[in-house]
């Protein structure tokens, strides 16, 4: 088993928002087993001198869609590809995401138990995944991707591609909602995702529509709670967020048009907000080139304009926020731009906390991910500089990460490139992935 002591490093504590110098971190297998000041390695394990560099927990993105390998508007969207081709492209995207520093990701529509297990079992290299299976929408809602001339039922159309989980399913009524939630949990979902308001990418629902009745929302929350899990929801407007929070939905995605009273309601109910601002910026810049229809770009313009204001409203009310991006298709390379966008409103320490500790809270894994602590998964980034001073080190998208550890595996180690000095003893210090 891997038994490595990293020493001579500055440890980033995301809870306190500071660096602690002169620390040593011991890793055995896939976990950190000891964090101490000034411990030197002995002969019974491998020592790695990090030369005073900064070690921080691996990043957590709480809103990704790893199977959306191409924008849905492109001629050959994932819906028109065989599951094998989608899977192959998905693994490539996941590996790239890991190299951008994301050691954990929550997929909120598309990925299934198989994706999660393939990473956990070491079959593929990627972020540890939490999955929701297919997101759940009402007829004509954000998850109903039929064009406005399609008549077949959404499931007969393309929501259930054989052998492929698809991104979404469409249900109407309390009974169908209960069955869908139970079915996603049966299939291995870690949480449930509902579409509770209009969206940018869907053809028939303006952003200000609210979706599902309160009874349907409450039924989903009850079924999730029965299975010891929770509901996340897509919602933009204050009205959609308010209905969701009152129904007991815990993870509020996007929330671009959040207002102060609704923010206070979120705090009161312990709801967490997952903004995804980079999605609108990237769509605005590159959407047209990717075939986005003008009417959808116009919708995107509205949510982008609300953009950072929602961060100000949430911050003022003390709404807990986690990091999310929601980039589909070829836009996924812009994932780390979210750090720069949030820095227009939030402090670097706040953003880092959102991308580490709050990710653990969302996924109910406090102490296991998002921290470098005894018993936590050995997920870490090593940087030359301090991201608490320079968020650009995280926003640059990976080149500033000298070392990336994911569950004890070294997925990147280019310390030699960063310094002219000879490498420390014991390099390479762990089993390398293929
Ligand atoms: Zn959404
Ligand atoms: Zn999404």
């Amino acid at each position: 088993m891997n038994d490595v002591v990293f020493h001579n490093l500055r440890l980033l504590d995301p809870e306190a928002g500071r660096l602690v110098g002169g620390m040593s971190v011991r890793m055995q297998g896939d976990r950190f087993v000891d964090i101490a000041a000034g411990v030197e390695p002995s002969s019974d394990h491998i020592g790695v001198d990090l030369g005073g560099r900064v070690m921080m927990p691996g990043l957590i993105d709480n809103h990704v869609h790893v199977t959306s390998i191409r924008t849905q508007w492109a001629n050959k969207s994932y819906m028109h590809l065989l599951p094998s081709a989608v899977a192959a492209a998905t693994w490539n995207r996941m590996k790239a995401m890991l190299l951008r520093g994301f050691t954990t990701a929550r997929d909120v529509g598309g990925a299934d138990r198989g994706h999660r297990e393939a990473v956990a079992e070491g079959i593929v290299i990627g972020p540890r995944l939490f999955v929701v299976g297919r997101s759940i929408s009402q007829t004509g809602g954000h998850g109903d991707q039929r064009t406005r001339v399609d008549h077949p039922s959404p499931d007969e159309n393309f929501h259930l591609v054989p052998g492929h989980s698809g991104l979404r399913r469409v249900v109407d009524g309390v009974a169908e909602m209960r069955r869908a939630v139970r079915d996603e949990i049966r299939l291995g979902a870690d949480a449930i995702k509902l579409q509770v308001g209009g969206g940018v990418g869907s053809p028939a629902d303006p952003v200000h529509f609210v979706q599902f009745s309160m009874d349907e929302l409450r039924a989903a929350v009850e079924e999730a709670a029965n299975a010891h899990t929770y509901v996340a929801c897509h919602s933009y407007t204050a009205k959609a967020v308010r209905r969701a929070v009152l129904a007991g939905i815990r993870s509020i995605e996007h929330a671009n048009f959040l207002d102060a009273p609704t923010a206070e309601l979120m705090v009161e109910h312990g709801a967490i907000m997952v903004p995804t601002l980079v999605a609108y910026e990237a769509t605005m810049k590159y959407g047209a080139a990717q075939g986005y229809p003008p009417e959808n770009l116009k919708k995107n313009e509205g949510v982008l304009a609300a953009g950072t204001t929602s961060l100000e409203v949430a911050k003022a009310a003390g709404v807990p926020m986690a990091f999310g991006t929601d980039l589909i298709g070829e836009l996924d390379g812009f994932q780390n731009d979210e750090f720069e966008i949030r820095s227009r409103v939030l402090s670097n320490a706040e953003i880092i906390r959102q991308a580490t500790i709050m990710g653990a809270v969302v996924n109910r894994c406090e102490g296991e991910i998002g921290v470098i602590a005894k018993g936590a998964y050995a997920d870490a980034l090593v940087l030359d500089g301090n991201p608490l001073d320079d968020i650009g080190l995280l926003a640059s998208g990976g080149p500033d990460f000298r070392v990336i550890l994911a569950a004890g595996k070294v997925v990147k180690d280019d310390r030699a490139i960063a310094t002219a000095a000879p490498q420390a003893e014991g390099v390479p210090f762990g089993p390398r992935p293929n």
Side-chain angles (χ1 to χ4, degrees):
M1 184 168 61
N2 238 359
D3 190 347
V4 180
V5 173
F6 300 95
H7 56 101
N8 189 19
L9 60 91
R10 292 178 291 159
L11 195 59
L12 191 154
D13 175 353
E15 188 62 72
R18 64 191 181 105
L19 295 185
V20 187
M23 300 299 287
S24 300
V25 174
R26 185 169 183 177
M27 168 176 95
Q28 280 179 346
D30 63 355
R31 302 267 180 169
F32 293 123
V33 294
D34 198 22
I35 318 294
V39 176
E40 289 300 315
S42 72
S43 57
D44 52 320
H45 44 248
I46 298 165
V48 179
D49 185 341
L50 288 181
R53 290 189 180 90
V54 172
M55 182 185 260
M56 68 172 289
L59 303 170
I60 303 170
D61 190 330
N62 290 283
H63 196 122
V64 303
H65 298 283
V66 294
T67 62
S68 70
I69 59 169
R70 290 177 185 161
T71 52
Q72 54 200 319
W73 308 108
N75 287 334
K76 288 184 182 171
S77 89
Y78 68 94
M79 294 171 192
H80 304 114
L81 293 167
L82 284 168
S84 48
V86 175
T90 296
W91 305 135
N92 287 337
R93 288 183 93 210
M94 286 172 60
K95 186 174 180 184
M97 190 180 291
L98 181 54
L99 291 172
R100 290 192 289 269
F102 292 92
T103 51
T104 300
R106 184 180 63 154
D107 187 289
V108 282
D112 61 27
R113 180 170 61 86
H115 295 96
R116 181 182 68 213
E117 290 176 354
V119 175
E121 290 169 14
I123 297 168
V124 297
I125 303 296
R128 169 183 305 97
L129 284 186
F130 293 91
V131 302
V132 303
R134 284 168 289 173
S135 69
I136 301 171
S137 171
Q138 70 171 41
T139 290
H142 179 47
D144 187 343
Q145 292 286 322
R146 288 175 295 174
T147 71
R148 304 193 86 173
V149 295
D150 283 335
H151 288 291
S153 84
D155 281 357
E156 283 163 14
N157 194 2
F158 47 53
H159 294 87
L160 290 172
V161 180
H164 173 236
S165 64
L167 275 180
R168 47 184 74 86
R169 61 197 293 167
V170 173
V171 306
D172 294 288
V174 167
E176 282 189 23
M177 175 66 89
R178 288 191 191 280
R179 186 169 54 182
V181 172
R182 291 171 185 176
D183 195 38
E184 291 303 337
I185 289 166
R186 174 187 73 83
L187 290 164
D190 296 300
I192 293 299
K193 166 81 178 297
L194 303 185
Q195 313 287 356
V196 308
V200 171
S202 37
D205 58 331
V207 165
H208 64 271
F209 276 19
V210 294
Q211 297 170 5
F212 285 126
S213 67
M214 288 303 290
D215 284 347
E216 289 167 314
L217 297 180
R218 287 196 195 95
V221 170
E222 184 187 10
E223 292 298 332
N226 287 351
H228 295 263
T229 187
Y230 69 95
V231 177
C233 73
H234 158 105
S235 49
Y236 284 125
T237 61
K239 186 176 182 187
V241 173
R242 172 166 287 272
R243 294 172 85 249
V245 170
L246 289 173
I249 291 177
R250 174 174 175 267
S251 177
I252 305 293
E253 314 299 303
H254 319 308
N256 294 42
F257 299 99
L258 186 70
D259 61 17
T262 311
E264 278 162 33
L265 190 77
M266 287 183 70
V267 173
E268 202 180 297
H269 286 255
I272 303 166
M273 176 169 157
V274 184
T276 60
L277 301 176
V278 66
Y280 320 108
E281 288 219 350
T283 302
M284 203 42 92
K285 286 181 192 156
Y286 308 101
Q290 297 210 331
Y292 251 66
E295 59 270 28
N296 295 87
L297 283 174
K298 199 163 171 54
K299 281 174 150 188
N300 186 70
E301 216 175 287
V303 291
L304 175 63
T308 47
T309 308
S310 65
L311 295 183
E312 288 166 17
V313 171
K315 180 179 165 146
V319 176
M321 284 185 268
F323 190 92
T325 55
D326 198 20
L327 292 162
I328 60 166
E330 299 85 341
L331 298 177
D332 61 351
F334 299 101
Q335 191 173 19
N336 297 51
D337 288 7
E338 181 76 18
F339 287 100
E340 186 278 314
I341 296 169
R342 289 189 189 207
S343 73
R344 298 170 198 168
V345 175
L346 306 172
S347 73
N348 295 349
E350 283 172 314
I351 304 165
I352 290 169
R353 194 170 177 280
Q354 291 169 0
T356 54
I357 288 171
M358 285 310 298
V361 171
V362 167
N363 291 295
R364 304 174 304 156
C365 290
E366 291 106 309
E368 289 217 291
I369 58 174
V371 289
I372 294 177
K374 187 177 177 179
Y377 280 109
D379 300 341
L381 310 176
V382 174
L383 302 100
D384 291 333
N386 178 6
L388 290 165
D389 293 335
D390 179 8
I391 202 71
L393 295 169
L394 303 181
S396 63
D400 288 304
F401 305 145
R402 297 289 156 237
V403 178
I404 301 175
L405 299 178
K409 286 202 173 92
V410 182
V411 293
K412 179 179 175 184
D413 178 13
D414 73 353
R415 287 169 298 151
I417 297 168
T419 60
Q423 290 203 353
E425 74 277 19
V427 175
F429 48 82
R432 279 168 186 275
N434 295 325

